[in-house]
Amino acid sequence: MSVGPEQAGRASPGTRISAARRMGAVADVRLSGAIDDFFLADDVRLDERTRLTLGRFLAAVVQEIETEIRRHAARLLSGQGADRLAEGLLRGHEDVVRRLSRAGLLRDRLLMDEVIAQVRCGLIGDALAPVVIAPEQPSLLIRLADVDDGVVAAAARALLSAEARRRTAAEQGRIPSGALPAERHHQLVWWVAASIREGQVASVGEDPIVDRAIVEAAQRSLSAHDEGQRPEALAVRLAAAIDARTDEIAELLIDSLGDRRLLVFIAVLGRAVDLDFEGARAIVLEPEGDRLWLVLRAAGLDRATIATIALALADADPRRDIEAFADDLDEIAAIPFAAARSALAPLTLHHDLRLAIDALAREATR
């Protein structure tokens, strides 16, 4: 008996039942997510702007890597005469971000810590109020790019160039290559490569030729990655080149905020108190500011300078309570320099050791 087109397109009762059961599981997951979201404390909830920016950033980073891997793998396949496989690889743009998210990979603490920190730095840096000390005076980085010290000038020019690349990429809705540190880039490349391979296996089955092409394309992406050209790394290089004396730190920090160069502010402050960039950035981004005020005192800054920095950051970050800070300012300024340095000592430990200590502490509280 022939089957009409309207019958051929119908799902069987068993398929319908399976689909209904799957939707029941989806509804359960959705409810769990809604409950978790409802009971989140306000101080840990992402505001809508940060959430949207974070989503765009993650998608752009993943898609940049995905595009690189697909294009190079397809080029390799075409060179071997496997044009059909190459075309399939280029056409097969699954939603890799959603696939990695479903697998829970994008919940990785170290990856999300870096991505959220970059997003927050960008938003706060953009919101900083520019300060023009003298109309005829160029901005901080322009001045540093023209100093007689060739090391400082070269570092300033490199940072200017890197920031321009990042800004241009953001305006075009993409992420420049090298946005992530090497370790985070490494794990994301292999996650994306695995997701691409999964899609290929689902569509054409396993094929060693395709696997080799994907692996070579992923390794190419890894070898091309240069984390030394990230603005964060270049800001650290600039701070090291300047090597500010104790009596120069306050002016340099205020100038960097007035020039809306939050990365320079973080790098200079970190160097002043022997904190690595990631540790200093985490402290600067905390809305409460308790650890930041301790760091500022450890850098030898006086009451007026701390107040200026606090006001600039509060104007750019609505999460900060400037009134509470004003009430505590006298107590903050009274913290002895030596006491602040001593209290800061655990934060100056090696970055990887701090991560391990934090991981042990989280496990102990479960």
Side-chain angles (χ1 to χ4, degrees):
M1 183 178 72
S2 63
V3 178
E6 70 283 353
Q7 293 175 303
R10 291 176 184 167
S12 68
T15 302
R16 293 290 187 189
I17 292 171
S18 297
R21 287 173 177 164
R22 284 197 302 272
M23 289 311 298
V26 168
D28 185 64
V29 171
R30 186 178 293 125
L31 175 60
S32 297
I35 292 171
D36 291 342
D37 183 70
F38 178 78
F39 284 102
L40 274 178
D42 289 341
D43 61 345
V44 300
R45 188 185 299 276
L46 292 174
D47 63 88
E48 196 60 28
R49 186 183 181 197
T50 303
R51 184 189 297 274
L52 290 173
T53 307
L54 182 61
R56 287 196 293 266
F57 185 98
L58 262 179
V61 168
V62 171
Q63 288 163 7
E64 189 84 15
I65 294 172
E66 179 191 4
T67 299
E68 285 181 1
I69 292 176
R70 286 188 183 280
R71 286 179 177 173
H72 189 66
R75 189 180 306 119
L76 292 172
L77 290 171
S78 293
Q80 300 173 57
D83 292 337
R84 183 182 59 81
L85 292 174
E87 290 173 5
L89 197 63
L90 288 174
R91 286 198 308 268
H93 276 265
E94 304 85 17
D95 192 339
V96 174
V97 177
R98 182 173 297 179
R99 179 68 188 96
L100 297 182
S101 182
R102 283 204 317 271
L105 297 178
L106 296 185
R107 290 177 175 269
D108 180 83
R109 291 184 66 89
L110 296 179
L111 173 65
M112 291 306 296
D113 183 28
E114 176 63 33
V115 172
I116 291 172
Q118 282 199 39
V119 167
R120 287 204 188 282
C121 271
L123 293 175
I124 294 173
D126 290 343
L128 285 169
V131 176
V132 180
I133 299 174
E136 70 281 357
Q137 181 171 281
S139 68
L140 173 66
L141 278 190
I142 298 296
R143 297 200 308 272
L144 291 174
D146 287 334
V147 297
D148 292 336
D149 188 322
V151 177
V152 172
R157 286 195 294 269
L159 179 55
L160 278 169
S161 178
E163 288 190 340
R165 289 195 300 272
R166 179 172 285 185
R167 188 165 50 252
T168 299
E171 291 170 354
Q172 297 173 352
R174 58 182 185 83
I175 296 294
S177 58
L180 297 176
E183 295 88 347
R184 308 287 76 78
H185 180 76
H186 183 276
Q187 70 187 66
L188 196 55
V189 163
W190 289 117
W191 290 344
V192 171
S195 180
I196 292 172
R197 181 186 183 275
E198 181 182 72
Q200 287 299 110
V201 170
S203 60
V204 298
E206 294 192 12
D207 191 322
I209 296 177
V210 176
D211 288 347
R212 283 196 297 272
I214 291 174
V215 168
E216 286 189 38
Q219 290 174 330
R220 176 177 178 270
S221 178
L222 293 175
S223 64
H225 183 78
D226 184 1
E227 69 173 346
Q229 294 306 307
R230 300 171 63 236
E232 292 82 1
L234 293 170
V236 171
R237 189 185 306 172
L238 176 61
I242 295 171
D243 195 19
R245 300 189 304 267
T246 302
D247 60 344
E248 297 173 330
I249 292 171
E251 182 180 358
L252 190 54
L253 290 174
I254 292 174
D255 277 356
S256 60
L257 288 180
D259 199 25
R260 305 170 74 187
R261 308 285 180 179
L262 188 60
L263 298 184
V264 176
F265 174 87
I266 293 169
V268 170
L269 182 60
R271 183 172 180 81
V273 295
D274 298 322
L275 278 174
D276 59 38
F277 183 87
E278 290 77 13
R281 181 177 61 183
I283 289 173
V284 169
L285 293 178
E286 290 170 353
E288 296 81 8
D290 293 349
R291 293 201 298 174
L292 177 57
W293 317 139
L294 185 66
V295 170
L296 294 177
R297 281 299 297 138
L301 303 186
D302 59 21
R303 184 183 190 279
T305 303
I306 294 174
T308 300
I309 291 171
L311 183 59
L313 291 174
D315 284 343
D317 186 356
R319 300 175 302 155
R320 298 175 189 264
D321 188 346
I322 192 62
E323 293 180 1
F325 165 77
D327 293 339
D328 296 339
L329 180 56
D330 289 335
E331 294 179 9
I332 292 167
I335 298 173
F337 169 78
R341 278 277 180 175
S342 177
L344 200 63
L347 300 178
T348 63
L349 294 171
H350 188 278
H351 176 67
D352 292 337
L353 178 57
R354 288 205 318 273
L355 290 176
I357 292 171
D358 291 344
L360 288 173
R362 280 195 303 273
E363 183 64 29
T365 59
R366 289 177 181 173

